[in-house]
Amino acid sequence: MPLDTTLIAVALGKLAGQLSRRLGAGGGTTLPGSLARRVAPAILRDLSARLPHGALLVSGTNGKTTTSRMLSEILRTHGERVLHNRAGANLISGLTTTVISATNWMGQPQATLGLFETDEAALPQAIAEVRPRLVLIHNLFRDQLDRYGEVDTVATNWRTALATLPASSTLVLNADDPAVADLGRDMAARVIYYGLEDTRHATGAAAHIADSQFCRRCGTRYHFSAAFYAHIGHYQCPQCGHQRPQPAVALARLDLRGTTGSHLAITYPGGAVEIGLPLPGLYNALNALAATAVAYSLAVPPAQTRQALEAFSAAFGRIERVVAGTGGPPMLIALIKNPVGASETVRMLVEQAPGGRDLHLLIAINDRFADGTDVSWLWDADFEALADAAHVTVSGTRAADMAVRLKYAGLNPERMTTVEDLPAALDAALAALPAGATLYLLPTYTAMLDLREDLAKRGWVRQFWEE
């Protein structure tokens, strides 16, 4: 690519981003990249190649944003200047915008290393263009079938792309997810597995929505000696003997502490590290484990990993704590977007409020493109655990669907309020909130963006691109 074409594309992208923010049209997280690629289609490949320490890709169905933010903090603690799509724009246009924003007007990177959260469907193209030194794949669940297709289709596309990684690259995989773990088979790249060893958390939750139940080698149904949730666990094929690989980086002991956080004891070859994580829930502990595995593979000292994770704060909308004005009640925002994620979020909330009787929730379901237009996944999520909740306000473009789902989950209709307009729904939920209680906000992706836009107008949060 001629250098002058690259510079024109960089300038165009930078100007588009500045104009978008000044006009209040958004954070300028995707448009700059889209415009720049029209001028210089190979700009992502060209600018990524200029990063002195290369680039990392983080993908999977759940946990991408939180895990990549954890990694960003770990790498910054390690002394890297990190280029990171922190706002969560994870399609190719968003990745391109990110490299442009961290490049000066002369096309020189202002970072030492790139870190890209990457959409599942965009991962193959991202691998081809970024040529990463490391790829982390966290998990694979059904999510937006209208966009991605079934999990086997996604896994096949991933395998084809990962097979192009050279021996100098590293592939970090979740040993507890059969479809993800199998991606390490016959790869030229170095493969490192991570996994949860503490079987006290093997409750078998949401087993009815397990996606990877059959052996990747012979097709026989796996036997799970421990199932943490869905198909995440310890598995073995009774026919051919294929089994979960032994993780190099293992969460040996996990102590969950309600909605305040958890304590992790992680082992790795030659050592161990204990981390007090200020985020709640099993899935956030697994996010931290994945980030630790990547840090280990990059030879980051464990003390720096612990320092970064113990000071970590959640990404916007992912267990984000907000106060409703000066002296107002506390709120907690937890993104839900597929059956497994919703079920695990509900389980976390119910476990810290026995019987769910003290829970007050606002659930906002949208069906826009970024959410997935098919909301049938609501029927696979374990909302039955909320049957005894004190009150639920439902909102969003598919509020009526959510109300019907909760009715069939056993929620008393007298404990449910439907308000389609999201700001009005928030007002109603806050008005019904007893003194001293927390309001839990469970939105889908675009509903989360709408919600935070309203919270920003109220002065309760900053816009996500300003954080």
Side-chain angles (χ1 to χ4, degrees), residues 58 60-72 84-90 117-118 138 287 312 314-316 318 335 337 445 448:
V58 176
T61 306
N62 293 332
K64 295 185 294 294
T65 299
T66 299
T67 302
S68 61
R69 284 204 175 198
M70 288 176 170
L71 266 175
S72 177
H84 174 212
N85 54 335
R86 186 176 177 85
N90 57 23
E117 171 194 336
T118 309
H138 209 350
N287 292 338
F312 184 77
F316 67 93
R318 281 82 170 178
L335 173 70
K337 63 190 185 76
Y445 183 71
M448 183 264 289

Side-chain angles (χ1 to χ4, degrees), residues 119 142-149 337-338 368-374 377 445:
D119 176 83
R142 279 175 292 156
D143 184 22
Q144 300 185 37
L145 296 180
D146 51 322
R147 287 186 59 212
Y148 299 131
K337 63 190 185 76
N338 54 45
R368 299 172 189 151
F369 178 76
D371 305 292
T373 56
D374 180 0
W377 65 268
Y445 183 71

Side-chain angles (χ1 to χ4, degrees), residues 88-270:
N90 57 23
L91 299 175
I92 295 299
S93 58
L95 273 58
T96 305
T97 298
T98 302
V99 295
I100 290 172
S101 66
T103 300
N104 66 21
W105 293 87
M106 297 303 296
Q108 298 303 314
Q110 303 301 290
T112 58
L113 181 145
L115 171 61
F116 300 112
E117 171 194 336
T118 309
D119 176 83
E120 300 96 295
L123 181 61
Q125 185 178 355
I127 290 173
E129 295 197 23
V130 175
R131 298 177 180 177
R133 61 181 286 196
L134 181 146
V135 178
L136 163 66
I137 298 185
H138 209 350
N139 47 53
L140 180 55
F141 302 110
R142 279 175 292 156
D143 184 22
Q144 300 185 37
L145 296 180
D146 51 322
R147 287 186 59 212
Y148 299 131
E150 287 288 353
V151 293
D152 287 342
T153 300
V154 176
T156 298
N157 293 338
W158 283 354
R159 171 173 285 281
T160 300
L162 293 170
T164 66
L165 294 175
S168 57
S169 294
T170 299
L171 185 55
V172 180
L173 301 174
N174 184 355
D176 297 330
D177 186 318
V180 171
D182 190 62
L183 294 171
R185 176 165 46 107
D186 301 326
M187 288 291 162
R190 177 178 69 142
V191 178
I192 292 177
Y193 290 102
Y194 67 90
L196 174 60
E197 294 291 293
D198 191 344
T199 56
R200 293 178 303 153
H201 299 282
T203 63
H208 65 287
I209 51 177
D211 296 310
S212 297
Q213 303 183 58
F214 298 95
C215 180
R216 312 298 293 184
R217 310 293 171 87
C218 72
T220 302
R221 185 183 291 273
Y222 283 121
H223 167 71
F224 281 80
S225 60
F228 301 115
Y229 60 90
H231 58 260
I232 302 299
H234 299 179
Y235 51 88
Q236 182 176 28
C237 174
Q239 180 65 32
C240 71
H242 170 61
Q243 61 184 339
R244 168 188 184 257
Q246 186 62 37
V249 181
L251 182 48
R253 183 178 178 86
L254 169 63
D255 295 318
L256 298 175
R257 296 170 178 172
T259 58
T260 61
S262 57
H263 183 84
L264 289 67
I266 297 175
T267 62
Y268 53 87

Side-chain angles (χ1 to χ4, degrees), residues 192-448:
I192 292 177
Y193 290 102
Y194 67 90
L196 174 60
E197 294 291 293
D198 191 344
T199 56
R200 293 178 303 153
H201 299 282
T203 63
H208 65 287
I209 51 177
D211 296 310
S212 297
Q213 303 183 58
F214 298 95
C215 180
R216 312 298 293 184
R217 310 293 171 87
C218 72
T220 302
R221 185 183 291 273
Y222 283 121
H223 167 71
F224 281 80
S225 60
F228 301 115
Y229 60 90
H231 58 260
I232 302 299
H234 299 179
Y235 51 88
Q236 182 176 28
C237 174
Q239 180 65 32
C240 71
H242 170 61
Q243 61 184 339
R244 168 188 184 257
Q246 186 62 37
V249 181
L251 182 48
R253 183 178 178 86
L254 169 63
D255 295 318
L256 298 175
R257 296 170 178 172
T259 58
T260 61
S262 57
H263 183 84
L264 289 67
I266 297 175
T267 62
Y268 53 87
V273 61
E274 296 197 9
I275 298 169
L277 185 69
L279 293 184
L282 172 62
Y283 54 91
N284 277 318
L286 298 183
N287 292 338
L289 174 63
T292 301
V294 173
Y296 163 78
S297 72
L298 297 174
V300 175
Q304 293 180 354
T305 298
R306 180 180 64 245
Q307 177 186 344
L309 291 179
E310 291 191 339
F312 184 77
S313 58
F316 67 93
R318 281 82 170 178
I319 313 298
E320 180 183 15
R321 300 180 188 278
V322 178
V323 176
T326 303
M331 300 184 292
L332 187 146
I333 308 173
L335 173 70
I336 59 172
K337 63 190 185 76
N338 54 45
V340 170
S343 297
E344 283 302 294
T345 298
V346 168
R347 176 163 69 135
M348 177 191 71
L349 297 179
V350 170
E351 284 180 350
Q352 59 88 35
R357 294 186 181 279
D358 296 325
L359 289 177
H360 292 259
L361 302 100
L362 168 57
I363 303 178
I365 307 296
N366 281 355
D367 62 350
R368 299 172 189 151
F369 178 76
D371 305 292
T373 56
D374 180 0
V375 297
S376 61
W377 65 268
L378 295 174
W379 293 91
D380 289 331
D382 187 18
F383 289 113
E384 278 71 15
L386 296 175
D388 294 324
H391 194 277
V392 178
T393 302
V394 293
S395 186
T397 61
R398 300 302 286 266
D401 297 76
M402 189 68 238
V404 171
R405 175 66 186 94
L406 290 174
K407 176 183 176 182
Y408 278 89
L411 187 71
N412 187 334
E414 295 181 358
R415 294 179 174 174
M416 181 166 51
T417 303
T418 301
V419 184
E420 292 187 9
D421 179 71
L422 190 50
L426 178 58
D427 288 336
L430 287 172
L433 191 67
T438 297
L439 178 61
Y440 297 99
L441 311 173
L442 277 55
T444 56
Y445 183 71
T446 67
M448 183 264 289

